């Protein structure tokens, strides 16, 4: 059985838990990181001191998007097609998500992980503006297609799907982006997203 190491309030852990639920892959998850700390045994399998990490038989992997690619290839290849041209369509959004995460980080940390009296409104505003600029890119793309993976839902939708939930949840200024909103509402209909991603931000 797949073992997933990482606390579920991590964006990157949510990605992996959502995919496992999406494809019906049995797994056990252990809380690691943040308030749960990291044992020497965990650091022995992931020297980066980050989450998530998976163990699947003899395979040990870290880096959330690499884990998504591995699990899809091994257990649900329809979510990450064999045709490299088709696969690359969704794959590029998996890497694009890291830039978006940089834009959102300050707003998330200020609004979720700091007490109200310790927040910096200017930092939050700059982060919100950066998020809006990135989401506008997503809006233009989704105006022509239903999914980031193009014709159908795929793992290319998962990384930004997790961050989109945070964007829609944070108390920040957001422009009206109807195609992003419609894509997000399609994600909400997926049980794995609702159960593993749509949890309180902590």
């Amino acid at each position: 059985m797949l073992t997933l190491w990482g606390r579920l309030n991590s964006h990157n852990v949510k990605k992996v838990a959502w995919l496992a639920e999406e494809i019906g892959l049995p797994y056990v998850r252990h809380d690691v990181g943040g308030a749960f700390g990291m044992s020497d045994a965990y650091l022995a399998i992931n020297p980066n001191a980050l989450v998530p990490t998976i163990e699947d038989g003899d395979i040990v992997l870290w880096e959330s998007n690499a884990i998504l690619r591995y699990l899809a290839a091994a257990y649900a290849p329809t979510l990450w097609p064999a045709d490299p041209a088709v696969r690359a369509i969704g794959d590029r959004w998996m890497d694009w998500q890291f830039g978006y995460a940089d834009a959102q980080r300050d707003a998330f940390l200020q609004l979720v992980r700091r007490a109200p009296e310790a927040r910096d409104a200017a930092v939050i505003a700059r982060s919100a503006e950066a998020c809006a600029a990135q989401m506008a890119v997503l809006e233009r793309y989704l105006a022509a297609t239903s999914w980031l993976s193009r014709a159908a839902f795929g793992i290319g939708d998962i990384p930004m799907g997790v961050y989109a939930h945070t964007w829609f949840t944070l108390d920040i200024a957001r422009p009206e982006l109807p195609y992003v909103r419609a894509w997000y509402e399609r994600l909400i209909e997926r049980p794995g997203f609702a159960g593993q991603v749509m949890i309180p931000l902590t």
Side-chain angles (χ1 to χ4, degrees), residues 44-55:
I45 62 172
N46 188 339
N48 300 291
L50 296 169
V51 292
T53 301
I54 63 162
E55 293 182 86

Side-chain angles (χ1 to χ4, degrees), residues 8-12 14-15 18 96-97 100-101 104 107-108 111-112 131 135 138 142 148 157-172 174 180-202:
L8 198 55
N9 66 344
S10 158
H11 286 77
N12 290 331
K14 289 178 183 178
K15 297 176 192 177
W18 172 15
W96 186 87
Q97 167 261 299
Y100 177 81
Q104 184 175 275
F108 174 80
L111 291 168
V112 177
C131 288
M135 282 295 189
L138 210 63
L142 289 169
L148 298 185
D157 295 278
I158 289 177
M160 267 311 296
V162 170
Y163 280 87
H165 173 67
T166 300
W167 187 65
F168 279 109
T169 304
L170 288 174
D171 184 17
I172 57 174
R174 283 183 298 277
V180 172
R181 168 68 73 174
W183 169 70
Y184 177 66
E185 289 177 354
R186 287 190 290 276
L187 295 178
I188 290 172
E189 296 173 357
R190 309 188 79 86
F193 184 82
Q196 304 302 310
V197 178
M198 300 184 72
I199 62 174
L201 300 179
T202 58

Side-chain angles (χ1 to χ4, degrees), residues 12-191:
N12 290 331
V13 175
K14 289 178 183 178
K15 297 176 192 177
V16 179
W18 172 15
L19 177 60
E21 296 285 344
E22 186 78 34
I23 64 178
L25 180 63
Y27 69 99
V28 59
R29 185 181 61 78
H30 300 290
D31 284 321
V32 171
F36 301 99
M38 294 182 180
S39 67
D40 290 342
Y42 180 77
L43 294 174
I45 62 172
N46 188 339
N48 300 291
L50 296 169
V51 292
T53 301
I54 63 162
E55 293 182 86
D56 187 29
D58 294 331
I59 300 294
V60 176
L61 282 180
W62 28 265
E63 292 298 327
S64 59
N65 289 354
I67 293 170
L68 295 181
R69 293 177 179 111
Y70 164 74
L71 292 178
Y75 298 104
T78 58
L79 296 184
W80 200 47
D83 183 335
V86 176
R87 186 172 65 226
I89 290 171
D91 201 30
R92 62 185 171 184
W93 290 104
M94 299 177 75
D95 291 341
W96 186 87
Q97 167 261 299
F98 290 115
Y100 177 81
D102 288 341
Q104 184 175 275
R105 182 175 293 107
D106 283 343
F108 174 80
L109 292 175
Q110 290 279 330
L111 291 168
V112 177
R113 303 241 167 115
R114 285 196 177 183
E117 63 274 12
R119 294 172 185 164
D120 186 324
V123 170
I124 295 168
R126 283 196 299 270
S127 182
E129 289 173 6
C131 288
Q134 294 287 84
M135 282 295 189
V137 174
L138 210 63
E139 175 77 359
R140 290 192 292 273
Y141 181 78
L142 289 169
T145 187
S146 295
W147 302 102
L148 298 185
S149 299
R150 204 63 171 184
F153 173 84
I155 63 166
D157 295 278
I158 289 177
M160 267 311 296
V162 170
Y163 280 87
H165 173 67
T166 300
W167 187 65
F168 279 109
T169 304
L170 288 174
D171 184 17
I172 57 174
R174 283 183 298 277
E176 289 297 325
L177 300 176
Y179 293 105
V180 172
R181 168 68 73 174
W183 169 70
Y184 177 66
E185 289 177 354
R186 287 190 290 276
L187 295 178
I188 290 172
E189 296 173 357
R190 309 188 79 86

